[in-house]
Amino acid sequence: MRRRFRTSAVAACVTAVALIPAAPSWAEETTPPTINVATLSPSAPTGQNNWYRGPVTLNVSATDDVGIAKFQYSLNGGAAYIDVPVEGAPASATASAVITQEGNTSVRYRAVDTSGNVSAIRSISVRIDTRAPAASYPAITDGHVGHVATLIPTRTDPAPGSGGVAVLNMYLDGKLVPPLPVQTSDLSLGVHTLAVHLSDAASNSAKYTQTFIVTTSFADVGTLITRFVTAGSVPAEVGTALQAKLDQAKALADAGSAKRASQVLNEFVSIAGDQIAPGSARSTLVGDARYLIDQLNGRLAAEPATGLESEPAEGPKFIPDPVLAPLPHNPNADYNVLVFSRTTGFRHDHIPHTVAAIQKLGIAHNFNVDVYDPQLPTVTLPTSPFLSLDTLKQYDTIVFESNVGHPGPLNPITEQPNFEAYMHQGGGYVGIHGAADSFEIGTWPWYGDLVGGFFTNHPNGQNGFGQCGSCIHTEVVTEDNTHPATAHLPDRWMTVDELYNFDRNMRADVHTLLSLNEDSYQRSLNSGNAATNPLRLMNGDHPIAWCQNWGGGKAFSNILGHFRTQYYDDSFMRIILGGIETTADRKDANCSSYRETSLLIEADRAAGLLTAAAADAADAALDIARDSYLATNYTTAIPALNSIVDLANDNASGDAAARSELARQARELREWMQNLNR
């Protein structure tokens, strides 16, 4: 009985179990899927500054113990999600979604499994801008603008765009001009065109051409008279007489007497023609008065069509970083160059491009190129050459290439003394761009004198230039075209670059080769509100490339070179080549400076190599020559330098070798002044 009872109990238990429904498999599945990091297609942005100029494909993937049912993504911070279903609920799934939303979107994405479990949320930035910026000219109404207006294009990037709109090029009546406000008073009356080639940060680009007519009025002519008198181009008493005639003519015109008003305006023309010197002031006032006469008498010519037209244009090209490798050592090379680009502060993105460009010069012009920059591991020397003077002496010149550092990139105890000794023993130095920002102002004064001056600041720019967000246009003046670095350059030329200001005006200390025309960018359309609030620069005198004999060696600085495109420009690289060849003593150059000669005179005086009287006389003459040079009175500088040569040729002035060197330096200064005078 007991055994049968036990069997029945077991059977009953089994039956009971059989009557309880089986739990579904998902009831115990609570593990969320694992979502992987998404990728974008195309992987590289199709525009500049990490922007895409078209749709982007979001590629997502995830794994799960049970199966992925779908992916979801959100374009509005998670407020709403869009489903991307997955067929077959695989344990490992991938999916894609095309993103077209413009602007800088943080795309959230996640995976959901068949149990309803939701993965962690990841996000990826998708920046899309497909629309070019636009331009308009508020000062122009119905195609007309007065003769005292300022034309500044209003530039907009359709929201939500990439912004940073830059004027890549500007054309006035078909001629390329710096992107500056246009004063209509500088234009003749009649029809003109003003075109701007715009690009945004994504490199969407368009060209807008505004055709307009410059007109004038009695009020405009009155304003012009005041401006010309203030500028000194019209004598005050003549301005008073002209204004009286203008007021009389306007009163007659307002009274309906066009004939009499025209007669008074003809008297205005006679005064302007007889009493104002030939030039723009006279021609402008005469032209405006005759316009008013024709207007009063209904004789104005028929007007051409006006308006604003747009057309597609190409934006800045993207230049990828080069793949760097050491340049094989050539035992038959003419000389050796070291490129030093180590940084301990801001790092310029042009550095690898500069290294590659100088290597290319080395191959073409038969010099070896070594590089020391631990941040370029594929090309750098293993240890710093500056730790040993003997190592440095292997190089005929050293290129300091945007090696920004605060503190500086050379150790003041173990490296700086070796570099100073290298220069004292006749070494060469080439400074490019950020070399002027290599050390904190005041920490190494010797280096500041070597480079010529320390960087302080630079104007801001627009990201629409592509890979140079701080670049603006400038006109460069070639001051000395006898140097191998500048002989190929025109007298004036335009470039786009980051334009440094300095802690000093170095003109009296160095031999200036290139300078900036500050008028060409002080009101740049591409630098913040500079168009209406002029930039604070270097007070109109702005050297930007120079050479000098300093510390026993030869030094050359070119502070242009921020924009990586420069290193693919043959004309710019010829400037760098000239600096390398002259500081390496492969080509001659007149790099005389007033500072160098002044230091020579004082050293010779202290050593007793010049008599006190001779040193005093040389100092006085040099002061006259230097002051004349700074005032651009080169004809006055030349006889003062001749007097130093005469003094040096006088046996009574001191030691023969000292006098010979003084005469040589004075002759080089004279040659420089003669060249500038030509």
Side-chain angles (χ1 to χ4, degrees):
M1 293 292 292
R2 181 176 298 174
R3 181 177 298 171
R4 195 164 46 241
F5 173 80
R6 288 178 177 172
T7 302
S8 299
V10 172
C13 182
V14 172
T15 302
V17 171
L19 293 174
I20 297 174
S25 61
W26 52 260
E28 297 178 359
E29 168 56 31
T30 59
T31 303
T34 299
I35 186 78
N36 300 316
V37 175
T39 62
L40 300 176
S41 298
S43 57
T46 52
Q48 302 269 20
N49 297 297
N50 294 316
W51 284 85
Y52 287 86
R53 296 177 57 198
V56 180
T57 300
L58 174 71
N59 305 304
V60 291
S61 62
T63 58
D64 186 70
D65 293 341
V66 176
I68 304 296
K70 61 183 178 181
F71 292 94
Q72 295 180 317
Y73 67 95
S74 173
L75 304 176
N76 56 6
Y81 278 89
I82 301 169
D83 288 346
V84 182
V86 175
E87 293 185 6
S92 178
T94 61
S96 298
V98 177
I99 309 297
T100 60
Q101 178 167 297
E102 303 220 357
N104 187 356
T105 305
S106 178
V107 180
R108 298 187 180 190
Y109 57 94
R110 63 191 186 187
V112 181
D113 66 15
T114 54
S115 299
N117 299 305
V118 180
S119 72
I121 296 173
R122 290 184 179 273
S123 63
I124 189 170
S125 177
V126 179
R127 297 151 64 99
I128 300 176
D129 182 7
T130 64
R131 294 170 291 178
S136 62
Y137 289 89
I140 299 174
T141 303
D142 296 328
H144 294 73
V145 65
H147 214 182
V148 293
T150 301
L151 300 181
I152 299 176
T154 297
R155 293 158 289 160
T156 56
D157 198 32
S162 53
V165 179
V167 180
L168 300 183
N169 293 295
M170 184 168 171
Y171 305 87
L172 179 60
D173 294 330
K175 180 183 177 181
L176 182 66
V177 295
L180 300 170
V182 173
Q183 305 297 330
T184 58
S185 57
D186 295 334
L187 305 178
S188 61
L189 297 172
V191 64
H192 296 274
T193 59
L194 187 57
V196 286
H197 176 190
L198 305 181
S199 180
D200 60 21
S203 74
N204 297 300
S205 186
K207 183 179 180 182
Y208 290 83
T209 303
Q210 173 75 59
T211 304
F212 61 99
I213 298 171
V214 177
T215 65
T216 194
S217 65
F218 285 99
D220 284 353
V221 177
T223 299
L224 289 170
I225 292 171
T226 301
R227 288 184 183 179
F228 291 140
V229 169
T230 301
S233 51
V234 172
E237 63 277 10
V238 176
T240 300
L242 290 173
Q243 188 63 55
K245 289 297 181 183
L246 186 68
D247 292 342
Q248 183 184 358
K250 183 178 186 306
L252 291 167
D254 290 344
S257 181
K259 181 177 180 180
R260 181 66 184 125
S262 297
Q263 292 173 345
V264 175
L265 286 171
N266 278 321
E267 295 170 6
F268 178 103
V269 170
S270 296
I271 294 172
D274 293 340
Q275 301 185 37
I276 301 176
S280 61
R282 184 172 77 176
S283 60
T284 297
L285 292 174
V286 168
D288 279 37
R290 287 174 174 164
Y291 178 97
L292 293 176
I293 293 170
D294 288 342
Q295 186 180 57
L296 288 170
N297 293 280
R299 296 198 301 262
L300 291 177
E303 295 183 345
T306 60
L308 182 66
E309 297 181 349
S310 66
E311 58 184 300
E314 187 174 354
K317 293 185 181 299
F318 179 81
I319 302 177
D321 286 342
V323 177
L324 296 176
L327 197 64
H329 184 80
N330 177 7
N332 298 315
D334 291 338
Y335 58 103
N336 300 314
V337 174
L338 173 66
V339 176
F340 174 50
S341 56
R342 176 177 181 258
T343 57
T344 57
F346 176 83
R347 188 164 179 88
H348 285 79
D349 65 9
H350 70 78
I351 288 175
H353 302 267
T354 314
V355 170
I358 294 176
Q359 287 181 325
K360 184 178 177 181
L361 289 179
I363 295 171
H365 297 275
N366 199 36
F367 59 83
N368 286 314
V369 179
D370 286 342
V371 178
Y372 180 62
D373 184 348
Q375 289 145 294
L376 297 175
T378 64
V379 71
T380 187
L381 295 170
T383 58
S384 170
F386 293 89
L387 293 171
S388 164
L389 175 59
D390 287 338
T391 302
L392 288 182
K393 287 166 65 176
Q394 299 175 21
Y395 301 104
D396 296 80
T397 193
I398 300 174
V399 180
F400 275 53
E401 195 242 308
S402 282
N403 42 323
V404 176
H406 300 156
L410 289 180
N411 185 283
I413 305 299
T414 60
E415 294 179 306
Q416 290 181 14
N418 289 329
F419 180 57
E420 288 192 30
Y422 164 82
M423 291 300 296
H424 289 323
Q425 295 182 24
Y429 166 87
V430 176
I432 299 177
H433 192 58
D437 192 21
S438 288
F439 300 89
E440 190 75 42
I441 295 174
T443 59
W444 194 11
W446 179 89
Y447 180 82
D449 290 336
L450 171 72
V451 70
F454 283 115
F455 161 83
T456 55
N457 56 63
H458 61 74
N460 293 323
Q462 300 292 336
N463 286 335
F465 279 112
Q467 292 162 302
C468 191
S470 53
C471 285
I472 54 179
H473 296 76
T474 187
E475 182 182 62
V476 183
V477 180
T478 304
E479 294 197 16
D480 186 348
N481 61 3
T482 67
H483 194 285
T486 56
H488 67 289
L489 297 171
D491 291 342
R492 292 175 179 265
W493 45 285
M494 290 293 298
T495 192
V496 177
D497 215 317
E498 182 181 73
L499 308 177
Y500 277 12
N501 297 319
F502 305 98
D503 66 332
R504 70 195 77 175
N505 186 326
M506 66 284 293
R507 181 173 292 278
D509 296 336
V510 300
H511 186 117
T512 299
L513 301 172
L514 304 174
S515 61
L516 304 181
N517 173 11
E518 290 190 343
D519 288 341
S520 70
Y521 72 100
Q522 191 162 27
R523 291 183 177 270
S524 173
L525 300 180
N526 286 322
S527 187
N529 63 347
T532 54
N533 185 23
L535 298 168
R536 297 185 65 183
L537 304 174
M538 296 291 292
N539 298 316
D541 187 16
H542 205 133
I544 202 67
W546 50 83
C547 65
Q548 60 172 328
N549 305 308
W550 177 251
K554 296 185 176 182
F556 175 92
S557 291
N558 177 23
I559 314 301
L560 297 171
H562 178 91
F563 203 174
R564 64 174 65 181
T565 59
Q566 303 279 37
Y567 301 98
Y568 299 87
D569 179 82
D570 289 341
S571 180
F572 184 84
M573 289 310 300
R574 287 176 69 181
I575 298 174
I576 304 301
L577 177 63
I580 290 173
E581 291 179 329
T582 54
T583 57
D585 269 339
R586 264 47 188 192
K587 287 189 176 180
D588 292 331
N590 183 346
C591 289
S592 58
S593 69
Y594 285 96
R595 175 170 63 181
E596 178 190 11
T597 304
S598 177
L599 291 173
L600 174 69
I601 294 170
E602 293 313 306
D604 286 349
R605 179 203 298 272
L609 299 176
L610 287 178
T611 66
D616 287 343
D619 267 337
L622 190 68
D623 287 344
I624 293 171
R626 180 178 54 242
D627 292 345
S628 298
Y629 161 62
L630 295 177
T632 67
N633 294 326
Y634 310 122
T635 54
T636 306
I638 292 169
L641 294 168
N642 283 335
S643 71
I644 297 177
V645 174
D646 292 340
L647 181 149
N649 289 332
D650 185 350
N651 293 337
S653 295
D655 175 78
R659 291 187 291 106
S660 176
E661 176 60 19
L662 177 60
R664 185 193 68 79
Q665 290 196 20
R667 285 194 296 269
E668 285 200 345
L669 287 172
R670 181 181 63 190
E671 178 186 310
W672 179 23
M673 296 301 100
Q674 289 170 335
N675 179 60
L676 292 176
N677 198 42
R678 285 191 291 268

